[in-house]
Amino acid sequence: MDLITAATSKDEADRQTSVALLPVGSFEQHGDYLPLATDTIVACVVAREIARQYPVMVLPPITISCSHEHAGWRGTVSISARTLHQVVTDIAESLAMSGVERLVLISGHGGNYVLANIAQEASVHGPRMAVFPMGADWERARRDAGMETGGHEDMHAGELETSILLATYPEVIRTGNKTADWEANDRAHLLTLGMTEYTKSGVIGRPSLGAEAKGSDALTSLVRSFASTFSAVTSQG
């Protein structure tokens, strides 16, 4: 699986970019048919597609993050929000020492709420960090791909994630997505009670609707949407 960059130091010196992409995924349950590394794969794929059209440096991913709401399923592993904050901050500072002063966090896991705060703090004195995709970017991608579900209904291991993996790494998908739809639209206390209160399978969404073409179109849409984030993070200096 070609998710780790093979670039050399000379490649990056020749590119002379001021912007790096840091994929931030997770290692958490995604039902019985998608791998624990799903969010990391998605983040890496989005970063890879962006790098084909924008002058950016792609970093290896953060593969374990804040997945505490999924702790009821074996295999899920988390670190604290404060640890993730420190790791990302350390990476940004290290990049700046080598001349790469702008960082975009390519977020594959919606539960990493702390990423928004990290970017906010880092950019107090000017644009230095951004998070992508945000909610509006994901919803636009769904519309552009003709998906039948929205982000609230299709929260986890559903139409969107299944489609992106079908379009990029179908070999990692097990059988079962066609019969795994699970509805839980009222999730008012998810952060307090965790996923186990709202789903028995670990799925909240409609993976039966997943399709390769939808995943491809969603990625195309995200690459288009990245233009405004790239513009924002490079808008000064």
Side-chain angles (χ1 to χ4, degrees):
M1 193 176 297
D2 55 341
L3 296 180
I4 302 297
T5 179
T8 66
S9 180
K10 183 177 185 303
D11 292 335
E12 297 302 343
D14 291 344
R15 189 176 289 121
Q16 285 294 303
T17 182
S18 63
V19 179
L21 306 183
L22 176 62
V24 183
S26 72
F27 200 76
E28 65 186 33
Q29 70 82 22
H30 278 76
D32 294 337
Y33 53 90
L34 295 183
L36 292 159
T38 291
D39 291 341
T40 299
I41 295 171
V42 169
C44 288
V45 164
V46 172
R48 182 181 66 192
E49 295 303 306
I50 288 170
R52 288 174 174 164
Q53 297 195 32
Y54 295 86
V56 294
M57 172 184 178
V58 179
L59 300 172
I62 294 176
T63 59
I64 296 175
S65 59
C66 304
S67 300
H68 304 89
E69 70 273 30
H70 298 276
W73 281 270
R74 186 177 293 272
T76 296
V77 182
S78 290
I79 58 176
S80 69
R82 61 185 175 274
T83 298
L84 181 58
H85 188 299
Q86 191 62 61
V87 169
V88 173
T89 300
D90 285 354
I91 289 170
E93 291 177 355
S94 179
L95 283 167
M97 290 170 61
S98 67
V100 182
E101 297 185 347
R102 313 298 169 92
L103 179 63
V104 180
L105 310 177
I106 304 299
S107 177
H109 172 48
N112 286 328
Y113 308 107
V114 70
L115 296 183
N117 294 118
I118 300 171
Q120 187 181 46
E121 293 170 15
S123 300
V124 167
H125 300 295
R128 289 292 180 270
M129 194 181 298
V131 181
F132 181 86
M134 298 295 282
D137 304 309
W138 285 118
E139 289 305 319
R140 187 178 302 112
R142 288 177 181 274
R143 291 194 302 271
D144 290 347
M147 294 191 186
E148 298 181 39
T149 57
H152 182 75
E153 174 191 359
D154 197 58
M155 172 200 167
H156 188 71
E159 181 180 15
L160 176 64
E161 291 182 311
T162 301
S163 293
I164 290 177
L165 264 62
L166 282 170
T168 55
Y169 293 99
E171 67 273 14
V172 305
I173 301 177
R174 309 284 181 91
T175 58
N177 67 291
K178 292 298 184 182
T179 58
D181 292 2
W182 188 282
E183 181 179 317
N185 291 332
D186 182 5
R187 309 184 297 271
H189 303 292
L190 177 66
L191 296 182
T192 301
L193 301 177
M195 288 279 286
T196 54
E197 183 69 19
Y198 299 100
T199 172
K200 293 180 180 179
S201 66
V203 177
I204 295 179
R206 299 185 64 190
S208 66
L209 299 174
E212 177 183 351
K214 293 178 182 177
S216 179
D217 288 346
L219 289 170
T220 298
S221 175
L222 290 171
V223 172
R224 268 197 311 269
S225 293
F226 184 73
S228 68
T229 298
F230 186 79
S231 177
V233 82
T234 59
S235 61
Q236 298 177 17

